[in-house]
Amino acid sequence: MELNVMQPDQLDDLIQGISLADYQVIGPMESNGAIAYEPIESADDLPRGIIDHQRPGKYALQKIQSSRFFGYTVSPFSWKKYLYPPVQTLFKAERNGQGIQLETDSHDVKYAFIGVRACELSAIKIQDKIFLGGDYVDLHYKERRENALIVAVECFNTCETCFCDSVGSGPEIPNGADIVLTEILESGEHYFLVRSETEAGQEILNQISLKDTENNHYLIKDAQLERVRAKLKRKVQTTGLKSKLLKNPDHPRWDEVAERCLACSNCTMVCPTCFCADVFDINDLDGNTKRERRWDSCFTSDFTYIHGGNIRHSVKSRYRQWLTHKFASWQDQFDSLGCVGCGRCITWCPPGIDITEELKALSIPPNQYKKGEINHV
Ligand code: SF4
Ligand code: SF4
């Protein structure tokens, strides 16, 4: 697709154009010391000049002297909170004097997501397979997803916890976005390289007067991506990982990680691909009822409660289930990994458990592994 140049003050024209096309614009903003994805009204709401520092169990924002709009890496929140809300009323049945009135979930808001990173777009594509692939389509997700417009933004920086490259989800933006932006701020110049990838994206861009690119713009864009790639220090060696995990349910490392894991479920809540949920019926004394779907986690003891009891009593069995699903059985289920390397589960794990270290340790044959061999940061 054709690449054009957009000036920084035209970013607001883009946001207003999207809004006029009847989308609710959701974008990054600073909120309570973190980057949140919330409804925005203009480019002034974006976290200009703010970068994030992420390490295992640590997160902080910093205001720097920069006019960059997208200088942070990823928010603690993911776009799944809009496509697959944490709490969702599936239907309500209420008595109205003449009978029962049934109201099903219907969603008439069209979302436009501004600032979707490569790993996040990969995560959306994974959730598309979960909710839209196969014989059973989730109509609640479908309605939200089909109407969504995605404006992806290439990363110019990494955080210490991300590793998109080694799981094949970045740093290039995969297909699936409507508009792709690359923010360039170098040699005293600030501009965006912009391209549309769909008709919906092109219609929005048609309203902005963009300039043509010059040859060096392609080189500048490629060089920026190369710098990002070079900064990605965390890696996962995925070759042979599935069989190593499935063959070693008694690897001594599972006991070690279980000593650190609090089973708090933070990792699953922040993960953009995790999709476990529970369903509750809420009844009142007037005979009304409401069915709600709420995110759940394989780390909670109730999640695996089935007739007669809980099948995963220990933290070890729950951690093993999570990691083995992400990197092994997910491949059988959805033909991909269940991880896009966004690093959120590392940043937001209170004791700072790092899945890349755990996978490295678990890849050592159990009979050659020495306790504490792969140390945590
Ligand atoms: S498992 Fe961790 S790094 Fe992978 S997608 Fe989920 S939160 Fe991101
Ligand atoms: S791995 Fe970390 S975030 Fe996940 S449940 Fe254990 S302590 Fe909580």
Side-chain angles (χ1 to χ4, degrees), residues 5 26 37 44 48 68 121 179 190 202 210 223 225 256 265 299 338:
V5 178
I26 313 288
Y37 298 151
D44 290 342
R48 208 162 183 189
R68 195 178 276 280
L121 183 53
I179 295 173
H190 187 191
Q202 190 55 50
L210 302 169
L225 264 186
E256 272 182 66
S265 82
F299 281 94

Side-chain angles (χ1 to χ4, degrees), residues 236-247:
V236 170
Q237 177 52 260
T238 53
T239 314
L241 188 57
K242 178 179 164 188
S243 83
K244 282 177 192 158
L245 289 171
L246 293 178
K247 278 185 189 155

Side-chain angles (χ1 to χ4, degrees), residues 1-18:
M1 293 280 178
E2 194 188 358
L3 200 59
N4 287 105
V5 178
M6 184 175 86
Q7 295 308 314
D9 56 3
Q10 292 180 303
L11 185 58
D12 196 52
D13 299 343
L14 178 70
I15 291 171
Q16 302 313 325
I18 292 172

Side-chain angles (χ1 to χ4, degrees), residues 4-142:
N4 287 105
V5 178
M6 184 175 86
Q7 295 308 314
D9 56 3
Q10 292 180 303
L11 185 58
D12 196 52
D13 299 343
L14 178 70
I15 291 171
Q16 302 313 325
I18 292 172
S19 184
L20 282 173
D22 255 354
Y23 289 96
Q24 181 177 21
V25 184
I26 313 288
M29 60 158 64
E30 186 191 358
S31 173
N32 296 318
I35 298 294
Y37 298 151
E38 292 294 334
I40 58 167
E41 289 179 0
S42 75
D44 290 342
D45 293 331
L46 296 171
R48 208 162 183 189
I50 291 179
I51 57 168
D52 54 357
H53 298 281
Q54 302 195 35
R55 293 187 52 214
K58 304 250 181 318
Y59 177 94
L61 295 184
Q62 185 187 2
K63 177 93 181 129
I64 58 164
Q65 283 296 326
S66 168
S67 50
R68 195 178 276 280
F69 290 93
F70 299 96
Y72 64 93
T73 49
V74 285
S75 158
F77 303 93
S78 67
W79 306 99
K80 93 174 172 185
K81 87 175 213 186
Y82 292 99
L83 297 174
Y84 174 53
V87 178
Q88 188 172 11
T89 301
L90 301 178
F91 72 79
K92 284 183 193 165
E94 289 181 353
R95 292 182 190 276
N96 60 8
Q98 281 137 15
I100 292 176
Q101 189 178 328
L102 196 63
E103 206 181 298
T104 51
D105 168 70
S106 91
H107 185 79
D108 50 13
V109 176
K110 295 194 300 175
Y111 290 130
F113 301 141
I114 311 284
V116 177
R117 302 299 194 181
C119 62
E120 297 183 311
L121 183 53
S122 299
I124 291 173
K125 289 169 75 172
I126 287 177
Q127 289 219 318
D128 287 351
K129 270 195 200 169
I130 296 163
F131 294 118
L132 306 179
D135 294 335
Y136 303 100
V137 168
D138 187 300
L139 298 176
H140 309 284
Y141 181 90
K142 185 170 187 260

Side-chain angles (χ1 to χ4, degrees), residues 260-267 299 319 322 345 348-351 353:
R260 299 176 67 209
C261 176
L262 310 170
C264 67
S265 82
N266 265 18
C267 47
F299 281 94
Y319 189 89
W322 181 64
C345 60
W348 294 97
C349 173
I353 295 172

Side-chain angles (χ1 to χ4, degrees), residues 163 267 270-273 322 326 338-346 355:
F163 55 97
C267 47
V270 293
C271 180
T273 64
W322 181 64
K326 288 274 174 208
C339 172
V340 295
C342 68
R344 287 180 174 93
C345 60
I346 306 174
I355 54 170

Side-chain angles (χ1 to χ4, degrees), residues 293-356:
R293 177 164 70 181
R294 300 181 201 155
W295 288 358
D296 205 339
S297 167
C298 50
F299 281 94
T300 66
S301 59
D302 281 354
F303 184 71
T304 39
Y305 184 90
I306 55 168
H307 164 74
N310 182 333
I311 54 164
R312 286 188 210 112
H313 296 280
S314 65
V315 173
K316 170 183 167 180
S317 63
R318 291 182 221 151
Y319 189 89
R320 183 177 56 200
Q321 155 64 26
W322 181 64
L323 202 66
T324 306
H325 188 207
K326 288 274 174 208
F327 288 89
S329 45
W330 200 293
Q331 296 188 46
D332 298 326
Q333 230 181 332
F334 303 113
D335 204 21
S336 76
L337 296 174
C339 172
V340 295
C342 68
R344 287 180 174 93
C345 60
I346 306 174
T347 302
W348 294 97
C349 173
I353 295 172
D354 174 349
I355 54 170
T356 66

